[in-house]
């Protein structure tokens, strides 16, 4: 016999009150802080985004300040968080919100804003406007699938989300819906983990159907997206006379518009060339390997893949340019260890 949603709701809220992590947007909640935190947390772990959140609030403390900011300054402050479409959407959202009269308050109204899908709209509606609209992310899918032993095979994560959403909506109520949604995400992030869930500590220990059947670690059953391996040779070219470096904006098929990186090499790499280093990174289901080749400044333009026009950037200005996180990390280390040469 399934436990009534009201009992499950109360058990989870009690657990959340006693065990939730102290996070800045929870300790000092505002609509703006909710929106920023939810945008930052998309495809990013809490521990990674925390320092970004603090810096962001110091520079852009409200919708009005963000709406008035130049895009370049906004993107620069986001540097290293990746998925840069998020920050552009966030800026456009601020501009739309500032101009709106009346301001959005409902789930459906927030869905009309840039970058806001069902998950963020539900988070805002519940946390800031006390509306009982359930959030469903990967954590919630896992928690509810295990609670109700939804063991069917899903071809995609979105299919699992659609299956779970009615169950999540059944559990939420008018009683502290924002806290309940945060509790669901907190439970998935801290105890109901993908591997080795800490069932003994779970507030739903006695009610979790997959735990009772000993199959919690096998649920949910979502087909893994096939990993794609990509190799992108890169060019390092520094003009020692003018003290400039060749960089290019908008790489990775347009996913990095406004972000600079070392230019990709065009054509077949001569067998006599040897990479001086290799950058490795993962984006979504892609594992990207980027061997770096040093090329003389006089020859460099003939080797650049010119999807966009490369630019010679003064070395003294590199810190002011928005670089992708992996390229910033490698280039900063390289320049620091070779500062006598440049």
């Amino acid at each position: 016999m399934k436990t009534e949603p009201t009992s499950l709701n109360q058990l989870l809220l009690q657990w959340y009150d006693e065990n939730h992590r102290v996070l800045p947007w929870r300790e000092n909640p505002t609509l703006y802080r909710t929106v920023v935190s939810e945008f930052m947390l998309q495809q990013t772990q809490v521990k990674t985004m925390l320092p970004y959140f603090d810096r962001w609030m110091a520079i852009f403390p409200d919708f009005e300040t963000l709406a008035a900011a130049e895009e370049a300054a906004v993107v620069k402050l986001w540097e290293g968080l990746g998925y840069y479409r998020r920050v552009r959407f966030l800026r456009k959202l601020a501009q739309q919100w500032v101009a709106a009269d009346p301001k959005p308050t409902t789930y459906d109204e927030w869905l009309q804003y840039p970058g806001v899908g069902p998950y963020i709209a539900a988070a805002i509606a519940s946390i800031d406007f006390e509306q009982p609209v359930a959030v469903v992310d990967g954590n919630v899918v896992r928690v509810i699938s295990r609670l109700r032993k939804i063991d069917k095979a899903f071809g995609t994560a979105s299919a699992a989300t659609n299956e779970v959403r009615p169950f999540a909506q059944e559990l939420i109520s008018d009683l502290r819906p924002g806290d309940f949604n945060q509790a669901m995400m907190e439970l998935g992030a801290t105890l109901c983990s993908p591997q080795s869930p800490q069932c003994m500590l779970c507030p739903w220990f006695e009610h979790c159907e997959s735990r009772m059947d000993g199959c919690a670690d096998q649920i949910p059953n979502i087909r893994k997206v096939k990993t794609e391996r990509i190799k992108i040779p890169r060019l390092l070219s520094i003009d020692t006379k003018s003290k400039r470096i060749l960089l290019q904006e908008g790489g990775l098929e347009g996913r990095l518009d406004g972000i600079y990186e070392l230019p990709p090499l065009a054509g077949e790499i001569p067998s006599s060339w040897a990479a001086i280093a290799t950058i490795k990174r993962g984006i979504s289901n892609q594992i990207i390997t980027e061997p770096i080749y040093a090329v003389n400044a006089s020859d460099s333009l003939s080797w650049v893949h010119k999807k966009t026009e490369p630019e010679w950037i003064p070395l003294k200005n590199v810190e002011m340019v928005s670089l992708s996180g992996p390229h910033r990390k490698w280039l900063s280390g390289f320049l620091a260890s070779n500062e006598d040469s440049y």
Side-chain angles (χ1 to χ4, degrees):
M1 183 176 179
K2 288 183 172 61
T3 308
E4 286 297 317
T6 300
S7 298
L8 292 170
N9 186 298
Q10 292 173 347
L11 285 170
L12 185 62
L13 284 172
Q14 181 180 351
W15 171 83
Y16 179 73
D17 288 340
E18 298 172 356
N19 296 280
H20 71 271
R21 291 170 294 180
V22 176
L23 299 172
W25 52 91
R26 291 175 179 168
E27 298 306 300
N28 182 21
T30 67
L31 170 61
Y32 178 71
R33 292 165 76 87
T34 298
V35 171
V36 172
S37 65
E38 292 299 340
F39 267 74
M40 285 189 171
L41 283 169
Q42 291 179 79
Q43 299 173 301
T44 304
Q45 293 183 340
V46 169
K47 64 180 181 181
T48 300
M49 65 80 73
L50 278 173
Y52 287 90
F53 184 84
D54 291 337
R55 287 195 295 269
W56 185 274
M57 287 299 157
I59 304 298
F60 305 124
D62 49 43
F63 285 114
E64 291 80 6
T65 307
L66 177 57
E70 294 292 332
E71 181 177 292
V74 172
V75 172
K76 176 63 177 174
L77 196 59
W78 195 273
E79 182 184 300
L81 270 179
Y83 299 96
Y84 291 92
R85 289 184 65 191
R86 292 180 295 171
V87 70
R88 293 188 175 88
F89 280 141
L90 181 55
R91 177 172 171 268
K92 290 178 181 178
L93 180 153
Q95 293 171 337
Q96 186 171 325
W97 185 91
V98 168
D101 184 19
K103 304 298 186 189
T105 59
T106 68
Y107 172 84
D108 289 333
E109 289 170 344
W110 275 102
L111 276 179
Q112 307 309 310
Y113 275 65
V116 176
Y119 168 79
I120 290 184
I124 295 170
S126 63
I127 294 171
D128 296 286
F129 300 101
E130 292 295 311
Q131 295 166 15
V133 185
V135 300
V136 183
D137 67 350
N139 285 321
V140 176
V141 166
R142 187 167 58 254
V143 169
I144 293 182
S145 295
R146 288 172 173 173
L147 175 69
R148 296 304 193 198
K149 196 187 173 186
I150 303 173
D151 56 2
K152 65 188 292 186
F154 296 103
T156 64
S158 61
T161 297
N162 291 335
E163 177 82 14
V164 162
R165 183 170 279 112
F167 292 91
Q169 192 60 44
E170 180 184 69
L171 289 171
I172 200 168
S173 73
D174 291 330
L175 175 65
R176 299 169 58 192
D179 285 344
F180 180 81
N181 275 334
Q182 293 187 83
M184 288 286 284
M185 294 183 283
E186 189 84 346
L187 184 62
T190 59
L191 297 185
C192 197
S193 52
Q195 286 83 39
S196 304
Q198 301 179 61
C199 296
M200 294 293 292
L201 301 177
C202 179
W204 289 344
F205 175 84
E206 295 182 359
H207 313 284
C208 179
E209 296 175 37
S210 63
R211 195 276 308 167
M212 295 178 196
D213 286 352
C215 60
D217 58 354
Q218 300 170 37
I219 294 177
N221 182 7
I222 303 173
R223 186 175 65 189
K224 293 183 178 180
V225 178
K226 185 178 180 180
T227 299
E228 182 182 5
R229 298 185 181 275
I230 298 175
K231 185 176 183 179
I232 305 176
R234 298 282 183 174
L235 175 156
L236 173 68
S237 185
I238 298 177
D239 187 330
T240 55
K241 292 183 179 180
S242 63
K243 296 189 180 299
R244 296 182 302 168
I245 183 171
L246 194 65
L247 297 175
Q248 194 171 29
E249 177 264 335
L252 293 178
E253 291 73 45
R255 286 184 293 184
L256 294 176
D257 290 344
I259 307 299
Y260 286 82
E261 294 193 318
L262 298 174
L265 276 160
E268 186 174 346
I269 309 300
S271 58
S272 59
W273 286 19
I276 62 171
T278 299
I279 296 174
K280 291 186 177 180
R281 57 175 157 173
I283 300 179
S284 187
N285 66 316
Q286 295 179 333
I287 298 196
I288 304 170
T289 301
E290 301 168 286
I292 301 170
Y293 298 89
V295 179
N296 291 331
S298 58
D299 300 329
S300 58
L301 291 178
S302 62
W303 285 100
V304 173
H305 194 303
K306 296 182 181 178
K307 286 188 175 180
T308 60
E309 195 64 29
E311 300 177 39
W312 288 103
I313 305 293
L315 288 171
K316 64 181 181 180
N317 294 341
V318 167
E319 286 299 321
M320 295 181 280
V321 171
S322 293
L323 281 168
S324 69
H327 283 228
R328 167 74 69 195
K329 182 178 180 181
W330 181 83
L331 188 56
S332 295
F334 176 84
L335 292 176
S337 61
N338 293 275
E339 58 183 343
D340 294 338
S341 302
Y342 306 114

